C-alpha cells in the first residue's frame, strides 16, 4: 500500500521523542488536505481552508462512495484522514477500520475489541463513541469500558492499553481523547451513576499515568493551588472542591468529563468542561457543588488548574457543562483578545478571556430559555458571574416530588455535545441547537454503586409558542452575544457542522439530511438524504487533488435513544423517548459513512 509523505513521516518519527512527533501532528493539523483530529484542530474551530467545493458549486455535489460500519445505534464523531488512509470508528463494540483511499476504501485492517456487554446498560444515553485520535504513529481509542488503547496506525496492532475506570461502579466512556505533547488526555462518563469526574493524562509512549485531576474533592485531588488558581479573578481558596458540598456527597458528586477538549500551545493550557452534579435531585446536595458545571483551564504538563468558571452553581436541571471550548483570537472593544467561546447546555453562550478566565459575554443563544433572566456581569457584585434563577422554574424551590413544568431548555440543553464550528472569515459561530423544553420532577434516591443515581423524572417537548420544531441551526456573534441568523429545524440538530473557506457550512439532521448553507446568510444550497439519521460530525479532506465531504449516519444518541434502544415509554431515555417519538416516521437504524464530491 502506498503511503503519503505525511503518514510516512509521522510513522518515522515514532522512533524519536514523542514531543517531536507532536510537532509533526500540529503541522499535519495545518494541512487542510487531511483531517487528523476530531475537532479539526486544537482550537476546536471545525474550519477547513479547502474551497474547491464552494457556495457556487456545492449544489452539484454527488455521492462518491459509501462504507457500512456493520454496527447499528448512534454514530457520533467523524472519520480521520491521514495521508492515503481513512480511519473510521463505530459505537459499541467500538470497531476501528483503516481504509485505503487509493483502492476505493479497501479495508487495510480492522480492530474489534472484546468488551463485556454488561457495559451497555451502564451507558447513560446510547452506546456512542466520538472517535479516534492520532499521534506518534498511533491511533488512540477510548473504549466504552474505559480501556484506552494505542493501535499501530499502519498495522492495527495493539501497542499498549490501560484501564481508565471501572464499569462496575458506572464509569464508562463515550468521548474521544486529545493528544498533547507527549501525553494523551482522557475523560470519564457516568454522572448518572454517581461517578466522581476526572481527567487523566497518560504517556503516549507507554500508557503510564502522568497525572489525574478530579472535578471535586481535596485540593490535592483536584490539582489546584488555593492562592494561584482563580475563579473570576479571585483565588479559589483552600478546599474549594469540598466546602460547597454537604458531608461526603462529593465522593459521588458527578462532574464527569465526557465532552470535548481544546488546547492552546502558546499557553500550554488544556480547556474542558465538567458535567452535572449527582444526583439530579438538588435537595440531596445543598451548596454550589463545586467544581461541577465548570469550565477548567489546566497546565497540560502537570494538570494544575490555572482558572475555573462555574456556570451553573447548584445545578437543578442536569445542564451538563461538558460542551466544547472554541478558541479564537478576536477584537472586543477594539482590543485583540485570546478568547474562549462555549455554548452551554444551560442555554447561555459564554465568551471568556482564555488566559485569565475573565467573563466577557454571557447571553442566551435560544430565545426560549426561561430558567434564568441572565448572568450578573458586574465584577463588584456579590453574585458576579452567577445566573439569576427564575423561581417558577427552580426544581429546588418547588421541592421534591413536585413536577416543575415548562422549563426551557430541557435537560439535554439548548445544545448538547454536538460541537459548533467557527469561520475566521465571517467571525461567526455555527451552532446546532435543541429547541426543547421539559417537565422535571425530582425525587429522593439512594446511592448504590453501579446502579442509576438520577433522582428525577422528565418529559420533553418542543418549545411552545415557536415554530413548532425542536431545533434551530444558528449563526452566533460571540463578541456581541447575538444571533446573526437562525434556521428552524423539525428536530434537534445533533450533528457537528463544518465551516469552509468556500463560504459553505455543512451540517446533518436527525432525519438524515446532509445540508449545505451559505455561511453569510444561511441560505440553503444543497441537501441529500442519507441512509439514517445524522448525529455525526461533518469533515472534509482531499485525495488526488479532489475535495471530499464525509459524514457518518446512524440514528441514536440521547435524542435518538428511543429508536436506537427500542424504547417506547415516553419517560425512558431520561425523558427523551416521548419528545422524539416522531423520529421513527422519518428514519431508521443504520451505520454508514457517506462521502460526497463534485462530479469530474
Amino acid at each position: 500500500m502506498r503511503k503519503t509523505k505525511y503518514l510516512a513521516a509521522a510513522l518515522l518519527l515514532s522512533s524519536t521523542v514523542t514531543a517531536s512527533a507532536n510537532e509533526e501532528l500540529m503541522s499535519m493539523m495545518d494541512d487542510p488536505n487531511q483531517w487528523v483530529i476530531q475537532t479539526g484542530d486544537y482550537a476546536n474551530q471545525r474550519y477547513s481552508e479547502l474551497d474547491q467545493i464552494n457556495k457556487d458549486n456545492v449544489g452539484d455535489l454527488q455521492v462518491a462512495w459509501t462504507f457500512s460500519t456493520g454496527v447499528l445505534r448512534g454514530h457520533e464523531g467523524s472519520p480521520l484522514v491521514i495521508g492515503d488512509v481513512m480511519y473510521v470508528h463505530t459505537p459499541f463494540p467500538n470497531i476501528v477500520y483503516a481504509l485505503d483511499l487509493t483502492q476505493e476504501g479497501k479495508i487495510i485492517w480492522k480492530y474489534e475489541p472484546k468488551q463485556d456487554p454488561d457495559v451497555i446498560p451502564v451507558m447513560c444515553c446510547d452506546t456512542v463513541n466520538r472517535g479516534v485520535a492520532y499521534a506518534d504513529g498511533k491511533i488512540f481509542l477510548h473504549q466504552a469500558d474505559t480501556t484506552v488503547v494505542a493501535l499501530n496506525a499502519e498495522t492495527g496492532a495493539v501497542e499498549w492499553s490501560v484501564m481508565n475506570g471501572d464499569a462496575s461502579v458506572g464509569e464508562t466512556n463515550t468521548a474521544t481523547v486529545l493528544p498533547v505533547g507527549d501525553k494523551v488526555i482522557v475523560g470519564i462518563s457516568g454522572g448518572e451513576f454517581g461517578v466522581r469526574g476526572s481527567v487523566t493524562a497518560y504517556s503516549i509512549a507507554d500508557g503510564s499515568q502522568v497525572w489525574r485531576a478530579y472535578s471535586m474533592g481535596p485540593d490535592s485531588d483536584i490539582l489546584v493551588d488555593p492562592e494561584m488558581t482563580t475563579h473570576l479573578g479571585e483565588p479559589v481558596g483552600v478546599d474549594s472542591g469540598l466546602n460547597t458540598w454537604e458531608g461526603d456527597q462529593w465522593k459521588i458528586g458527578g462532574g464527569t468529563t465526557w465532552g470535548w477538549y481544546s488546547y492552546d500551545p502558546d499557553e500550554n493550557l488544556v480547556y474542558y468542561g465538567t458535567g452535572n452534579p449527582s444526583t439530579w435531585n438538588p435537595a440531596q446536595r445543598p451548596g454550589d457543588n463545586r467544581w461541577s458545571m465548570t469550565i477548567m483551564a489546566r497546565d497540560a504538563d502537570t494538570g494544575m488548574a490555572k482558572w475555573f468558571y462555574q456556570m451553573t452553581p447548584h445545578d437543578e436541571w442536569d445542564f451538563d457543562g461538558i460542551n466544547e471550548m472554541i478558541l479564537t483570537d478576536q477584537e472586543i472593544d477594539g482590543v485583540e483578545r485570546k478568547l474562549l467561546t462555549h455554548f452551554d447546555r444551560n442555554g447561555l453562550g459564554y465568551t471568556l478571556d482564555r488566559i485569565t478566565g475573565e467573563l466577557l459575554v454571557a447571553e442566551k443563544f435560544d430565545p426560549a430559555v426561561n430558567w434564568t433572566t441572565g448572568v450578573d456581569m458586574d465584577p463588584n457584585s456579590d453574585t458576579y458571574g452567577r445566573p439569576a434563577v427564575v423561581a417558577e422554574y427552580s426544581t429546588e424551590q418547588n421541592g421534591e416530588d413536585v413536577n416543575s413544568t415548562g422549563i426551557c431548555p430541557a435537560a439535554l440543553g439548548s445544545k448538547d455535545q454536538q460541537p459548533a464550528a467557527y469561520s475566521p472569515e465571517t467571525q461567526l459561530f455555527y451552532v446546532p441547537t435543541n429547541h426543547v423544553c421539559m417537565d422535571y420532577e425530582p425525587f429522593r434516591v439512594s446511592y448504590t454503586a453501579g446502579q442509576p443515581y438520577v433522582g428525577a423524572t422528565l418529559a420533553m417537548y418542543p418549545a411552545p409558542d415557536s415554530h413548532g420544531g425542536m431545533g434551530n441551526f444558528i449563526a452566533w456573534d460571540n463578541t456581541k452575544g447575538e444571533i446573526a441568523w437562525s434556521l428552524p429545524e423539525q428536530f434537534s440538530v445533533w450533528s457537528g457542522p463544518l465551516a469552509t473557506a468556500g463560504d459553505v457550512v455543512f451540517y446533518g439532521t436527525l432525519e438524515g439530511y446532509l445540508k449545505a448553507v451559505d455561511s453569510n446568510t444561511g441560505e440553503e444550497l444543497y441537501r441529500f438524504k442519507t441512509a439514517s439519521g445524522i448525529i455525526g460530525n461533518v469533515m472534509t479532506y482531499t485525495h488526488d487533488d479532489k475535495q471530499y465531504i464525509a459524514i457518518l449516519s446512524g440514528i441514536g444518541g440521547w435524542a435518538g435513544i428511543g429508536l436506537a434502544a427500542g424504547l417506547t415509554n415516553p419517560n425512558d431515555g431520561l425523558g427523551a423517548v416521548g419528545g422524539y417519538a416522531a423520529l421513527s416516521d422519518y428514519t431508521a437504524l443504520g451505520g454508514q459513512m457517506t462521502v460526497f464530491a463534485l462530479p469530474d
Side-chain angles (χ1 to χ4, degrees), residues 8-27:
L11 291 173
L12 176 63
L13 280 167
S14 67
S15 63
T16 65
V17 295
T18 305
S20 297
N22 274 333
E23 290 176 7
E24 177 69 13
L25 175 61
M26 286 191 284
S27 176

Side-chain angles (χ1 to χ4, degrees), residues 83-142:
D84 289 331
V85 183
M86 175 180 280
Y87 299 94
V88 181
H89 70 284
T90 78
F92 188 93
N94 306 138
I95 300 169
V96 180
Y97 297 94
L99 307 181
D100 187 348
L101 296 178
T102 70
Q103 298 190 53
E104 300 180 329
K106 179 182 177 182
I107 298 172
I108 303 168
W109 55 257
K110 174 183 176 183
Y111 169 75
E112 184 169 5
K114 303 303 179 186
Q115 300 183 73
D116 188 338
D118 287 344
V119 73
I120 294 175
V122 189
M123 301 183 76
C124 156
C125 311
D126 203 7
T127 59
V128 297
N129 185 283
R130 294 180 197 100
V132 295
Y134 171 85
D136 192 29
K138 303 177 181 71
I139 296 294
F140 296 94
L141 168 70
H142 195 179

Side-chain angles (χ1 to χ4, degrees), residues 332 337-340 350-354 357-362 377 384 478-479:
I332 286 191
R337 305 285 292 264
K338 297 189 77 171
L339 301 180
L340 177 155
Y350 297 90
T351 307
L352 297 92
D353 184 302
R354 68 175 181 267
E358 178 187 357
L359 181 62
L360 302 171
V361 176
M377 299 297 289
Y384 174 46
N478 69 318
T479 62

Side-chain angles (χ1 to χ4, degrees), residues 467-473 487-493 507 509 511 515 524:
H467 57 73
M470 300 178 74
N472 294 296
F473 186 73
L487 306 176
E489 288 285 351
Q490 181 173 358
F491 297 104
S492 296
V493 186
Y507 69 97
T509 74
E511 306 101 301
K515 294 187 177 182
E524 185 175 308

Side-chain angles (χ1 to χ4, degrees), residues 24-233:
E24 177 69 13
L25 175 61
M26 286 191 284
S27 176
M28 294 166 71
M29 288 181 194
D30 290 337
D31 174 16
N33 299 295
Q34 307 183 94
W35 194 265
V36 301
I37 189 171
Q38 287 293 322
T39 52
D41 56 22
Y42 276 144
N44 278 344
Q45 292 185 3
R46 299 194 52 77
Y47 173 80
S48 173
E49 295 177 354
L50 298 180
D51 61 1
Q52 187 180 106
I53 299 170
N54 56 60
K55 67 178 182 180
D56 296 322
N57 60 23
V58 68
D60 297 327
L61 276 185
Q62 298 176 351
V63 174
W65 59 284
T66 62
F67 177 78
S68 173
T69 68
V71 179
L72 301 180
R73 301 195 71 152
H75 283 59
E76 291 183 348
S78 73
L80 300 184
V81 168
I82 301 164
D84 289 331
V85 183
M86 175 180 280
Y87 299 94
V88 181
H89 70 284
T90 78
F92 188 93
N94 306 138
I95 300 169
V96 180
Y97 297 94
L99 307 181
D100 187 348
L101 296 178
T102 70
Q103 298 190 53
E104 300 180 329
K106 179 182 177 182
I107 298 172
I108 303 168
W109 55 257
K110 174 183 176 183
Y111 169 75
E112 184 169 5
K114 303 303 179 186
Q115 300 183 73
D116 188 338
D118 287 344
V119 73
I120 294 175
V122 189
M123 301 183 76
C124 156
C125 311
D126 203 7
T127 59
V128 297
N129 185 283
R130 294 180 197 100
V132 295
Y134 171 85
D136 192 29
K138 303 177 181 71
I139 296 294
F140 296 94
L141 168 70
H142 195 179
Q143 298 173 185
D145 65 2
T146 78
T147 300
V148 183
V149 59
L151 307 173
N152 184 290
E154 189 172 13
T155 67
V158 176
E159 298 204 352
W160 58 257
S161 67
V162 62
M163 189 65 75
N164 187 54
D166 181 357
S168 70
V169 300
E171 292 177 330
T172 57
N173 177 69
T174 55
T176 188
V177 303
L178 183 71
V180 171
D182 59 356
K183 305 169 189 67
V184 59
I185 312 293
V186 308
I188 200 76
S189 305
E192 282 61 61
F193 290 81
V195 166
R196 181 167 65 128
S198 63
V199 167
T200 307
Y202 293 102
S203 165
I204 282 179
D206 60 15
S208 58
Q209 187 179 126
V210 181
W211 55 261
R212 173 169 286 175
Y214 287 92
S215 300
M216 62 278 297
D219 291 345
S220 58
D221 281 9
I222 64 175
L223 300 188
V224 301
D225 182 321
E227 298 303 319
M228 299 300 293
T229 303
T230 61
H231 178 254
L232 293 173

Side-chain angles (χ1 to χ4, degrees), residues 376-387:
D376 186 345
M377 299 297 289
D378 181 1
N380 299 313
S381 170
D382 291 339
T383 57
Y384 174 46
R386 296 180 71 97

